[in-house]
Amino acid sequence: MSDQAPIETDAVVIGAGPVGLFQVFQLGLLEIKAHVIDALPYAGGQCIELYPDKPIYDIPALPFSTGRELVASLLKQAAPFEPVFHLGEEVTSLATQGDGRLRLTTSRGKTFMTKVVVIAAGVGAFQPRRLKLEGIEAFEGRGLHYHAPDAERLAGQDVVIVGGDTMAVQAALDLTADGPQRPRSITLLHRRDVLQAPASALAEMQALCEDQQMRFQVGQITGFEERSDAGERRLTAVRIDDVDAQVHVLPVDQLLVFQGLSPKLGPVADWGLALERKQLQVNTEDFATSAPGIFAVGDINTYPGKKKLIVCGFHECVLAAFGAAALVFPDRKTPLQYTTTSPRLHQLLGVATPVRP
Amino acid sequence: MSDQAPIETDAVVIGAGPVGLFQVFQLGLLEIKAHVIDALPYAGGQCIELYPDKPIYDIPALPFSTGRELVASLLKQAAPFEPVFHLGEEVTSLATQGDGRLRLTTSRGKTFMTKVVVIAAGVGAFQPRRLKLEGIEAFEGRGLHYHAPDAERLAGQDVVIVGGDTMAVQAALDLTADGPQRPRSITLLHRRDVLQAPASALAEMQALCEDQQMRFQVGQITGFEERSDAGERRLTAVRIDDVDAQVHVLPVDQLLVFQGLSPKLGPVADWGLALERKQLQVNTEDFATSAPGIFAVGDINTYPGKKKLIVCGFHECVLAAFGAAALVFPDRKTPLQYTTTSPRLHQLLGVATPVRP
């Protein structure tokens, strides 16, 4: 995949959280088109991942908003600038080229060549919580999955799903559908007997368990078993401790783990940028990092007085956009224009300029 | 009036524009109560004074808002903290006291003793545009008015209203009402024959002119006449050039001037704070000015990278609030709390803390 032609662009924004989305808008006002990369499969970042329905009270002029509403508004606001989203993929490398441009690669094998990068990665890329079991990482992508694999890979197999929330329950229910791809057995495994899922899903699961179409098992994974198959290691079972501290061996061909997501700073730490306690140091004049062409906004940066609030990230986007404009348009002085009065901004936003009475 | 007891408070915010209103909110989250002073008779600042109905497109997560809507939302957001507004008055002096507190006085004779002041005065206090006519300022408050005087002062008098917008037209129409306070004559004077007012008001004016209940005169004031009345100077007439450069003498007892408002930095320039091109220099860590206890946010401040945008002012409010908290509560470390999760903030905001499912 890495031999795809590189995507050439003026700006790449890493992170599609609220601050990354407002960064797209601010870049757009200065006529800089942006590509946006996020590890999550949807825009919104923490707001969507951690508190989509909880209220936020401190966004200026929004006395009340849910994370979901906030993100919807920011997407709408950025829409006139037609950002290109690359979701569900992580930036794996970032390096400065001889011509001063920046080269990024992603976990899906895409390459970008860009004049500026704005890192709006919040607390880092949200990644599935891994099983803490020594040696099991060797099976990742074969017998062990943190994202649902293609259904055909599960056909006729013993499938164990680990997790206790809606995502885990729903994954189990989805597999019970009749058809050629149905697994041989489906077990939902959770460390306790309380599941966090809608009552309707739990009722459906109860019925399927009674009908022996799936099983629910309470227990904690403590080990695994494997065999060698034509020189290739294969997962064959997990050992679990149940609530009574009894050890069970659960046969498994495919282990699906849905234990939620946790943020990881990830490769950002390896790009040679000046850090202070895992935050990127920036200049408050333009929110530039220590590397030319790379800016950082939102929770991932630090400077004297820094507060990790969305409203502060919004301001940082404005100044970073002007910093970016100086690099993208080195021969142009970028004036500050107002969206209320500027005909050029109205044109970019696709709105009519009001006629003076 | 200046012998009123001083108002003791933790914080005074100078300026009730959008940034001043969000400053109240941010101070409130840190449990700092604020009084707000503004020269205009209503909250909203430039947004209300200059573009109440024009769209603003760059407030984060508000793809479209009028100035009026923005201000209404910010007032609603600040409401839980019960700010006390002092509108239609200007701060006339600001001085540091021996005990470190700040003493403010206003044009209405109020005195405040406060621990911190946040100057959110935008481009300055909005003041009525004065007549540019040498010597006429001597009549201000007697025969010359920039705010509508009490109706009884106009009873039986020759009244001339200067101006061509809705405010001027409406002031003339209001005076034509029958009653004991009716002026002897009412003339609307404007430099050209095009008035900026609703068609209905213009139609009403036309009818009143035809009925000789008022007059409309086109012309530019070039001089004035006066007499001495028991030792007191009284305005008796204005001289005007009409469109044909003919000089007229228009008898006048009371001259009401409504030529719009223009911002003046005003006394802020005299408080000994470090300035750079009429902007207050601030530290971007907490937006403190050069004087202890005095902070500056929004369009009135300057720092490297400064952009005069509302969204930047909002961020500045956050850091200024933390700077203020360090002075108001010197023995307390003020933690950053999130409105989404903090029970204490929910209590202050008067909202229920959601129960974890």
Side-chain angles (χ1 to χ4, degrees):
Chain A
M1 290 203 290
S2 57
D3 53 358
Q4 288 176 348
I7 297 169
E8 309 231 346
T9 179
D10 286 332
V12 170
V13 176
I14 304 177
V19 173
L21 296 177
F22 194 64
Q23 185 65 69
V24 169
F25 175 78
Q26 286 294 331
L27 289 169
L29 289 179
L30 301 185
E31 309 191 29
I32 302 171
K33 293 269 181 199
H35 285 253
V36 184
I37 304 170
D38 199 293
L40 290 174
Y42 31 75
Q46 282 186 68
C47 278
I48 290 294
E49 190 53 39
L50 300 182
Y51 48 94
D53 300 309
K54 286 189 187 161
I56 311 172
Y57 298 100
D58 64 348
I59 304 297
L62 286 178
F64 175 97
S65 170
T66 65
R68 202 186 301 279
E69 290 164 350
L70 177 68
V71 169
S73 297
L74 288 163
L75 278 169
K76 185 177 170 195
Q77 195 163 32
F81 302 116
E82 298 174 352
V84 184
F85 288 96
H86 305 266
L87 300 173
E89 54 193 301
E90 280 174 68
V91 177
T92 46
S93 75
L94 171 58
T96 305
Q97 303 301 288
D99 62 359
R101 287 193 299 170
L102 296 149
R103 184 175 181 278
L104 276 94
T105 59
T106 76
S107 54
R108 293 205 177 168
K110 290 180 194 158
T111 300
F112 294 82
M113 292 293 283
T114 180
K115 291 178 186 163
V116 299
V117 169
V118 185
I119 305 175
V123 290
F126 279 93
Q127 297 178 325
R129 279 206 189 83
R130 289 341 201 220
L131 272 186
K132 293 204 176 86
L133 209 59
E134 205 185 321
I136 202 161
E137 64 277 5
F139 299 97
E140 206 170 316
R142 295 181 296 132
L144 171 64
H145 308 273
Y146 294 102
H147 301 282
D150 292 338
E152 53 259 43
R153 294 187 60 173
L154 308 178
Q157 311 257 298
D158 290 322
V159 175
V160 174
I161 295 152
V162 181
D165 66 5
T166 304
M167 195 170 171
V169 171
Q170 194 57 52
L173 296 180
D174 290 348
L175 293 178
T176 59
D178 277 332
Q181 297 175 338
R182 199 185 190 290
R184 180 166 54 208
S185 72
I186 302 159
T187 306
L188 179 67
L189 173 67
H190 187 46
R191 62 191 156 72
R192 55 201 204 103
D193 63 357
V194 179
L195 297 170
Q196 296 221 349
S200 59
L202 294 177
E204 188 183 350
M205 190 182 102
Q206 174 93 25
L208 288 162
C209 286
E210 282 168 13
D211 201 27
Q212 298 192 350
Q213 295 202 50
M214 64 170 284
R215 289 178 54 215
F216 175 51
Q217 172 78 47
V218 177
Q220 187 96 25
I221 300 184
T222 57
F224 63 91
E225 297 178 1
E226 61 176 302
R227 65 180 161 84
S228 179
D229 191 0
E232 197 180 353
R233 294 166 63 189
R234 285 190 186 275
L235 195 62
T236 56
V238 287
R239 283 193 299 273
I240 56 174
D241 276 3
D242 73 9
V243 280
D244 304 316
Q246 297 287 315
V247 176
H248 295 249
V249 173
L250 208 59
V252 60
D253 298 309
Q254 301 288 338
L255 188 63
L256 277 50
V257 180
F258 298 119
Q259 298 187 134
L261 301 175
S262 87
K264 289 233 166 58
L265 189 57
V268 172
D270 305 326
W271 295 339
L273 304 172
L275 289 166
E276 182 185 326
R277 296 195 203 174
K278 296 192 177 180
Q279 314 290 306
L280 294 169
Q281 291 180 336
V282 287
N283 176 346
T284 55
E285 186 167 346
D286 57 4
F287 295 91
T289 67
S290 61
I294 306 180
F295 301 82
V297 294
D299 288 1
I300 204 161
N301 76 15
T302 188
Y303 52 83
K306 171 73 183 182
K307 298 294 171 199
K308 290 191 179 184
L309 290 171
I310 293 172
V311 56
C312 297
F314 288 154
H315 157 79
E316 295 160 20
C317 292
V318 174
L319 273 54
F322 279 88
L327 298 176
V328 173
F329 308 112
D331 304 323
R332 185 186 87 179
K333 172 132 176 60
T334 302
L336 177 64
Q337 296 181 81
Y338 290 96
T339 61
T340 297
T341 49
S342 162
R344 178 63 185 153
L345 294 186
H346 292 163
Q347 193 182 1
L348 294 170
L349 289 163
V351 297
T353 297
V355 179
R356 209 185 145 81
Chain B
M1 288 203 292
S2 58
D3 54 356
Q4 288 177 350
I7 297 169
E8 309 230 347
T9 179
D10 286 333
V12 169
V13 176
I14 303 177
V19 173
L21 296 176
F22 194 63
Q23 186 64 70
V24 168
F25 176 78
Q26 286 293 331
L27 289 169
L29 289 178
L30 302 185
E31 309 191 29
I32 301 171
K33 293 271 181 197
H35 286 253
V36 184
I37 303 170
D38 199 293
L40 290 174
Y42 32 75
Q46 282 187 68
C47 279
I48 291 295
E49 191 51 39
L50 300 184
Y51 48 95
D53 299 310
K54 286 190 186 161
I56 311 172
Y57 298 100
D58 64 347
I59 305 296
L62 286 179
F64 175 97
S65 170
T66 65
R68 203 186 300 282
E69 290 164 352
L70 177 68
V71 169
S73 298
L74 288 163
L75 278 169
K76 184 177 170 194
Q77 194 163 32
F81 302 116
E82 299 173 355
V84 184
F85 287 96
H86 305 267
L87 300 173
E89 54 194 303
E90 281 174 65
V91 177
T92 46
S93 73
L94 171 57
T96 306
Q97 303 300 289
D99 63 359
R101 286 194 299 171
L102 295 150
R103 183 174 180 278
L104 275 95
T105 59
T106 76
S107 54
R108 293 206 177 166
K110 289 180 194 158
T111 301
F112 295 82
M113 293 292 284
T114 180
K115 290 177 186 162
V116 299
V117 168
V118 185
I119 304 175
V123 288
F126 278 93
Q127 297 177 328
R129 278 206 189 82
R130 287 345 201 220
L131 272 186
K132 293 203 177 87
L133 209 57
E134 205 184 321
I136 203 162
E137 63 278 4
F139 298 97
E140 205 170 318
R142 295 182 295 133
L144 171 63
H145 307 274
Y146 293 102
H147 300 284
D150 292 338
E152 54 260 41
R153 295 187 60 172
L154 308 180
Q157 311 257 301
D158 290 322
V159 175
V160 174
I161 296 153
V162 181
D165 66 4
T166 304
M167 197 171 170
V169 171
Q170 194 58 50
L173 296 181
D174 290 349
L175 293 178
T176 59
D178 279 332
Q181 297 177 337
R182 200 184 189 292
R184 180 167 51 208
S185 71
I186 303 161
T187 306
L188 179 67
L189 174 66
H190 187 46
R191 62 191 157 74
R192 55 202 206 103
D193 64 356
V194 178
L195 298 171
Q196 295 222 352
S200 59
L202 294 178
E204 190 183 348
M205 191 182 101
Q206 173 93 25
L208 287 162
C209 286
E210 283 168 11
D211 202 25
Q212 299 193 348
Q213 295 201 49
M214 64 170 284
R215 289 179 54 216
F216 174 51
Q217 171 78 48
V218 177
Q220 187 97 24
I221 299 184
T222 56
F224 61 92
E225 298 179 2
E226 61 176 303
R227 64 179 161 86
S228 179
D229 191 1
E232 196 180 354
R233 292 168 63 189
R234 284 190 186 275
L235 195 63
T236 57
V238 286
R239 283 194 300 274
I240 57 174
D241 276 3
D242 73 8
V243 278
D244 303 317
Q246 297 288 316
V247 177
H248 295 251
V249 173
L250 208 61
V252 61
D253 298 309
Q254 303 287 338
L255 188 62
L256 276 51
V257 180
F258 298 119
Q259 299 188 134
L261 301 175
S262 88
K264 289 235 166 57
L265 189 58
V268 170
D270 305 326
W271 296 339
L273 304 172
L275 289 167
E276 181 185 328
R277 295 194 204 174
K278 295 192 177 180
Q279 314 289 306
L280 295 168
Q281 290 180 336
V282 289
N283 176 345
T284 55
E285 185 167 347
D286 56 4
F287 295 90
T289 67
S290 60
I294 305 180
F295 301 83
V297 295
D299 287 1
I300 203 160
N301 75 16
T302 188
Y303 52 84
K306 171 72 183 184
K307 297 294 171 199
K308 289 192 179 185
L309 290 171
I310 295 173
V311 56
C312 296
F314 288 154
H315 157 80
E316 295 161 20
C317 291
V318 174
L319 274 53
F322 279 88
L327 298 176
V328 173
F329 308 113
D331 304 325
R332 184 186 89 177
K333 171 135 177 57
T334 302
L336 177 64
Q337 297 181 80
Y338 291 96
T339 61
T340 297
T341 50
S342 161
R344 178 62 185 154
L345 294 187
H346 293 162
Q347 194 182 0
L348 294 170
L349 289 164
V351 298
T353 298
V355 179
R356 209 186 145 78

